[in-house]
Amino acid sequence: MGDILLITFVFLVAGVLAVPLASRLGLGSVLGYLIAGIAISPLLAAFGVDVVSVQHFAEFGVVMMLFLVGLELEPRLLWSMRARLLGLGGLQVAVTAGLVMAAALALGQAWSVALAIGLVLALSSTAIVLQTLNEKGLMKSDGGRGGFSVLLFQDVAVIPILALIPLLALPELMDAMAGGAAAGDDHGNGHGGGLDLTHGLAGWQRALVMLGAIGVVIGGGTWLTRPLFRFIALANLREIFVAAALVLVVGIALLMTLVGLSPALGTFLAGVVLANSEYRHELESDIEPFKGLLLGLFFITVGAGFNFPLLFGNFAAIIGLTLGLMALKAAVLLALSFLFGIRGGDRWLFSLSLAQAGEFGFVLLSFTVANAVIPAAVADQLLLVVALSMLLTPALFILYDKVIAPRFAAGGGDEAADEITEQGPVIIAGHGRYGGIVNRLLREAGYATTVLDYSSAHLERLRAFGFRVYFGDATRPDLLHAAGIEAARLCVVALDGREQITALVRHVRQQHPHVHVVARAIDREHVYELYAAGAHDIIRETFDSAVRAGRSVLEALGDHPFEAERKVRQFVRQDKAHLAALAALYDPDVPLHENTAYVEKSREVMAENEAALKGMDRAFATRVDRGWSPPTAADVAAEESRTDPGEAGPR
Amino acid sequence: MAQLLIYYAHPGHHKSQVNRAMADAASGVEGVGFVDLYALYPRHDIDVDREQARLLAHEVILFQFPLFWYSTPSIIKEWEDLVLEHGFAYGAGGDRLDGKTMMLSLTAAGPEEAYTPGGYQHFPLRTFLTPLEQTARLCRMRFAAPYVLHGSLGAPGDGRLDPHVAGYRRLIEAIRDDRYDFAAADGHDIVTAETLPIRGEG
């Protein structure tokens, strides 16, 4: 117990210290974690921690990351990416593997070893690249999307590669390893254990089982999750929802492992299926912290597992191999970017970001060693190359950020405008009697909205009308983040609870000052609170309808409708003036009855209102009456005796 | 029977003396369409389809209003801007009002002699009405001589209100019954209660 606490503490401290430092220096979190890993590696060695097994555990972060990526990707969007997914991804893997194989042959490896090396090194690091792209907000750029296509293809390609590698086994290594080879399956794609239940089935049976499992994920995601989450949401306990989200991801990963498929692929599919669900943002913000911590742990283990003695033993060779590999991979990607029309700065982003070898490289290398494909001595050097290339990747991102991106940003100003963000420019928090009307109005006016509400029964009804609404507590900053508050122009705060409204307004105004806030006020006093909290527009929930009711009464009493309208306008104008005068005196820290200036002013206003009620306030009537008043008889007489100054003389 | 539609507009209806009495009289006439624009659209949100349908269903369109700053109250301008659409009232295919008649019934605070080159209004009244006249022409409508009360503010005091209101009622009934002589009216700049060219009244 003490050991686990101590090791956890070491890992956490390393991350907590190194990541902010790296971010401060503009190096990005990935490099921070890697450096933290290197820094604590002596400690871990002293405690006897098995870094490799921690790494396998941490790789689950990649599974979660792909689930999150899937959530961001609607099926329609995925379908529209199919050409790139297969073309770009397929060509990248095939061409890179071929060239690496050729290089390995040239360096004197046997063809089977060379082929295995080619396949292993063709893959890139999903963890580093997606994490960095997300962090820098580049996922939705053309280069980011291209990179994602390639990574997704690679993730799927791991499965056939895993199937192929045992066929490349070297007879002499086989002999040396007799007995221990079966252990190789333990790392089936790295994310699961040796649980594959499809052993012993014929090929077509296996295929059938796999298709069935994918069907379960898609079907379950489409039809089962909604009632399930609805049921869970009824409990109104946040942690149960988090637990349910974890059950979903872990369960799918388990199912995929059982049938011999990639867990990352399974959770990715589940994410895509749920991308249109109203629970999407809630799932996103629930899984996000776990993903972040696991990926961080993974990067730390990469740093910690770095074999310095071996590196310094073969310094020139390892460095040469690493740089050569990265140059080769970048060159292939650059060539493909021409073929697939990735232009400008995006081309360089695409080429540089994917130039490393990836975490699958670790998995596949241990798998090849276990299957007697690559000699252990070669594999150890390759492990170092993989790790070193990952270590260098943040440097390439920095190169892109500091040197390449500014050059293209200066060149063409209209490139940024092409990007379309998925999230609506307007976030509506609370879709009840108030927010619902605002949403309907905006949708009919053609604006995209993102709606957050915490009543799942409510959302169920709305879905029937085809609205896109999301489940979640809008007062939670992470959910707001998931809903895209950073990119939003406007936030309508239409929650039911008075305190929640004020808290959310205050949060948005403080944390996201660029967002225009329109807030629902429960009553007069709440208006003052919201005014102090900084809301731009404060709209009382019942005021306008009550005023309209009053207008209807005036009309029913015989007022001409336009006369009634003018009285109402004057009333509203006067009320707003009073409200503004009192709001300026309101101090959130002083109770209303102790605020002497406020009390004084409100007495004044009350007296005025009372006078108006008793018909004593002539000012009100005068203001209403002012328009279209005919001149008095005296005015008329004066007018008629007047002559045009320019036309003096008798009329 | 001619289908007559009266559009009445006075933003200060409740303090009007002449126009309110005229509107009360007009709205009581059988077989005539009467619309108080400020009552129907107190927030100026004119329903274009509804008003166009109304135009199509009538042959004579009569606007009743007080002259404000040599023009109509603002809602009539809004009505024109929205209802007289291109392709409906004018322009390519805009012949839906072809052959209909537009007439005005207006009150002016200034006396008749003020609307002369030597008077303080400087121009004849019809000069101020030329935008409306040309509007009618562009819409291929006949523009009938307007029914006018000059010196309207003094009318209730000097006994001219009742004859004007009664004349208004006679005018409306005559148009409705096809007894109003539009051709004869064309010979006048304006018509008044005394000069209404009504057939069968001698």
Side-chain angles (χ1 to χ4, degrees):
Chain A
M1 184 70 194
D3 268 6
I4 293 178
L5 281 182
L6 184 65
I7 293 164
T8 310
F9 183 72
V10 168
F11 273 115
L12 288 174
V13 166
V16 166
L17 288 182
V19 173
L21 203 65
S23 295
R24 175 68 58 89
L25 296 173
L27 303 176
S29 69
V30 175
L31 196 54
Y33 282 121
L34 292 172
I35 293 169
I38 294 173
I40 64 167
S41 60
L43 266 181
L44 295 177
F47 294 140
V49 176
D50 179 4
V51 173
V52 175
S53 61
V54 174
Q55 192 169 68
H56 284 316
F57 169 68
E59 274 165 10
F60 197 72
V62 178
V63 174
M64 288 182 157
M65 180 166 63
L66 277 156
F67 177 69
L68 293 175
V69 169
L71 277 180
E72 293 276 335
L73 211 65
E74 292 170 34
R76 188 173 43 80
L77 215 60
L78 185 63
W79 182 245
S80 72
M81 283 171 59
R82 64 193 185 281
R84 280 202 171 177
L85 203 61
L86 297 178
L88 203 53
L91 281 175
Q92 187 273 338
V93 172
V95 175
T96 312
L99 290 176
V100 172
M101 181 183 171
L105 283 174
L107 290 175
Q109 297 293 344
W111 73 269
S112 61
V113 177
L115 176 58
I117 293 175
L119 289 172
V120 167
L121 295 185
L123 306 180
S124 308
S125 170
T126 310
I128 291 185
V129 178
L130 288 194
Q131 176 73 11
T132 311
L133 288 176
N134 268 327
E135 203 172 289
K136 297 187 184 297
L138 293 168
M139 262 309 272
K140 283 170 185 165
S141 70
D142 204 28
R145 283 198 187 283
F148 173 71
S149 303
V150 171
L151 290 170
L152 195 60
F153 181 89
Q154 291 178 352
D155 205 43
V156 178
V158 170
I159 300 155
I161 293 175
L162 279 170
L164 181 67
I165 282 176
L167 305 179
L168 301 173
L170 295 171
E172 65 268 31
L173 279 180
M174 285 277 270
D175 296 342
M177 309 210 22
D185 255 18
D186 276 6
H187 298 310
N189 201 3
H191 307 310
L195 290 168
D196 193 338
L197 294 182
T198 58
H199 267 303
L201 294 179
W204 65 271
Q205 284 169 317
R206 280 183 76 133
L208 222 59
V209 169
M210 287 177 185
L211 283 177
I214 290 177
V216 165
V217 169
I218 294 178
T222 311
W223 291 295
L224 282 183
T225 49
R226 189 161 298 137
L228 186 72
F229 282 135
R230 204 180 143 198
F231 171 73
I232 293 162
L234 285 179
N236 237 341
L237 284 171
R238 169 120 163 82
E239 63 274 21
I240 295 303
F241 203 96
V242 175
L246 284 174
V247 164
L248 179 79
V249 175
V250 174
I252 290 168
L254 197 60
L255 174 70
M256 290 294 121
T257 312
L258 287 178
V259 302
L261 277 175
S262 148
L265 175 70
T267 49
F268 172 73
L269 271 180
V272 173
V273 170
L274 290 170
N276 278 326
S277 145
E278 66 269 40
Y279 297 101
R280 168 183 148 191
H281 290 312
E282 179 77 21
L283 285 170
E284 236 174 274
S285 49
D286 284 346
I287 296 291
E288 179 77 38
F290 293 101
K291 175 216 89 173
L293 283 177
L294 283 177
L295 275 187
L297 182 60
F298 172 74
F299 296 134
I300 289 180
T301 58
V302 171
F306 205 72
N307 190 341
F308 279 102
L310 187 61
L311 172 65
F312 292 127
N314 305 277
F315 193 78
I318 302 282
I319 295 287
L321 279 176
T322 305
L323 294 180
L325 172 70
M326 294 178 82
L328 184 143
K329 293 190 79 165
V332 170
L333 290 162
L334 196 61
L336 288 176
S337 73
F338 280 95
L339 211 60
F340 284 82
I342 302 174
R343 288 186 307 269
D346 282 319
R347 167 177 296 159
W348 291 99
L349 174 65
F350 174 72
S351 307
L352 293 179
S353 64
L354 296 174
Q356 75 295 100
E359 57 276 6
F360 288 134
F362 294 132
V363 177
L364 290 176
L365 280 171
S366 59
F367 188 64
T368 52
V369 172
N371 278 285
V373 177
I374 298 178
V378 178
D380 277 349
Q381 296 203 1
L382 289 175
L383 273 175
L384 210 48
V385 170
V386 171
L388 200 56
S389 72
M390 287 167 79
L391 205 56
L392 288 176
T393 301
L396 292 183
F397 272 109
I398 293 169
L399 175 72
Y400 171 80
D401 258 3
K402 299 273 187 264
V403 180
I404 296 169
R407 188 165 302 172
F408 283 97
D414 45 19
E415 251 167 291
D418 284 341
E419 285 172 35
I420 296 157
T421 53
E422 285 174 57
Q423 287 125 344
V426 180
I427 293 175
I428 298 178
H431 197 287
R433 296 177 305 143
Y434 193 99
I437 294 172
V438 177
N439 185 38
R440 259 175 54 206
L441 173 64
L442 289 170
R443 304 294 292 216
E444 278 173 35
Y447 288 96
T449 56
T450 304
V451 175
L452 305 171
D453 197 289
Y454 209 41
S455 153
S456 71
H458 203 147
L459 295 182
E460 204 68 17
R461 219 174 315 133
L462 284 164
R463 283 193 65 85
F465 292 99
F467 286 119
R468 285 191 61 183
V469 285
Y470 298 103
F471 172 83
D473 178 0
T475 53
R476 275 175 35 216
D478 50 347
L479 192 74
L480 269 183
H481 169 78
I485 188 83
E486 277 82 7
R489 280 172 55 194
L490 218 136
C491 181
V492 180
V493 183
L495 303 169
D496 284 328
R498 177 193 194 104
E499 282 75 27
Q500 284 107 299
I501 296 174
T502 313
L504 183 54
V505 168
R506 193 169 292 134
H507 170 77
V508 173
R509 287 296 292 134
Q510 279 170 2
Q511 302 303 316
H512 311 282
H514 70 284
V515 176
H516 185 104
V517 176
V518 177
R520 166 190 188 172
I522 304 299
D523 56 27
R524 205 163 247 280
E525 211 173 296
H526 195 212
V527 172
Y528 309 148
E529 268 177 53
L530 293 172
Y531 183 84
H536 294 89
D537 296 310
I538 303 160
I539 316 291
R540 274 174 285 173
E541 59 178 5
T542 53
F543 183 76
D544 287 81
S545 38
V547 161
R548 288 184 55 194
R551 191 174 63 202
S552 290
V553 170
L554 288 177
E555 288 181 14
L557 286 173
D559 266 15
H560 186 275
F562 189 60
E563 171 76 3
E565 171 68 16
R566 285 181 51 77
K567 282 181 182 165
V568 162
R569 284 182 199 170
Q570 177 55 27
F571 175 80
V572 170
R573 206 176 296 140
Q574 193 169 297
D575 185 83
K576 276 187 182 157
H578 288 159
L579 208 56
L582 287 172
L585 298 172
Y586 176 78
D587 182 344
D589 300 328
V590 180
L592 277 186
H593 61 275
E594 286 174 23
N595 183 336
T596 46
Y598 178 88
V599 170
E600 206 125 302
K601 181 71 188 171
S602 60
R603 281 215 185 102
E604 207 177 292
V605 166
M606 260 156 66
E608 218 174 295
N609 286 345
E610 210 167 313
L613 283 176
K614 288 178 180 159
M616 282 155 62
D617 176 21
R618 292 311 306 151
F620 182 84
T622 311
R623 267 177 238 124
V624 172
D625 256 12
R626 208 145 95 189
W628 310 288
S629 283
T632 61
D635 293 334
V636 176
E639 200 62 35
E640 286 181 354
S641 66
R642 218 195 111 200
T643 52
D644 191 325
E647 295 280 331
R651 321 179 285 215
Chain B
M1 288 274 287
Q3 295 301 316
L4 169 63
L5 172 62
I6 301 171
Y7 275 123
Y8 163 60
H10 195 318
H13 174 79
H14 71 292
K15 42 192 168 182
S16 158
Q17 306 208 55
V18 178
N19 273 288
R20 186 160 61 166
M22 289 170 71
D24 285 348
S27 57
V29 179
E30 287 274 314
V32 169
F34 180 87
V35 174
D36 178 346
L37 279 173
Y38 276 103
L40 189 57
Y41 301 118
R43 284 161 289 287
H44 282 230
D45 46 355
I46 289 170
D47 182 340
V48 173
D49 290 334
R50 181 179 174 185
E51 295 310 320
Q52 288 183 344
R54 224 197 282 277
L55 285 180
L56 294 177
H58 293 85
E59 293 157 47
V60 182
I61 316 299
L62 174 63
F63 289 97
Q64 181 208 324
F65 59 90
L67 192 69
F68 285 169
W69 284 108
Y70 317 109
S71 182
T72 66
S74 61
I75 202 167
I76 292 185
K77 182 62 166 62
E78 182 82 348
W79 179 94
E80 291 170 341
D81 294 350
L82 296 177
V83 178
L84 300 180
E85 280 182 310
H86 182 273
F88 171 81
Y90 74 101
D95 57 358
R96 309 296 297 278
L97 304 180
D98 193 358
K100 297 183 189 293
T101 301
M102 182 197 289
M103 185 168 171
L104 312 178
S105 165
L106 61 100
T107 60
E112 192 166 4
E113 58 273 23
Y115 293 94
T116 54
Y120 73 89
Q121 302 289 27
H122 198 86
F123 296 103
L125 180 65
R126 282 293 293 263
T127 305
F128 298 119
L129 303 179
T130 47
L132 288 158
E133 188 176 343
Q134 174 56 21
T135 299
R137 180 174 299 144
L138 195 65
C139 298
R140 309 188 199 183
M141 297 170 81
R142 172 214 287 261
F143 186 73
Y147 178 65
V148 175
L149 176 67
H150 279 107
S152 58
L153 295 175
D158 57 19
R160 290 183 295 121
L161 175 61
D162 291 344
H164 185 73
V165 173
Y168 191 44
R169 198 183 173 95
R170 275 165 46 229
L171 165 70
I172 291 166
E173 287 169 350
I175 293 175
R176 178 194 65 188
D177 301 338
D178 292 322
R179 287 184 290 108
Y180 189 72
D181 191 343
F182 281 105
D186 283 346
H188 303 278
D189 272 351
I190 61 168
V191 292
T192 64
E194 289 78 42
T195 63
L196 283 171
I198 297 175
R199 282 189 289 266
E201 278 195 357

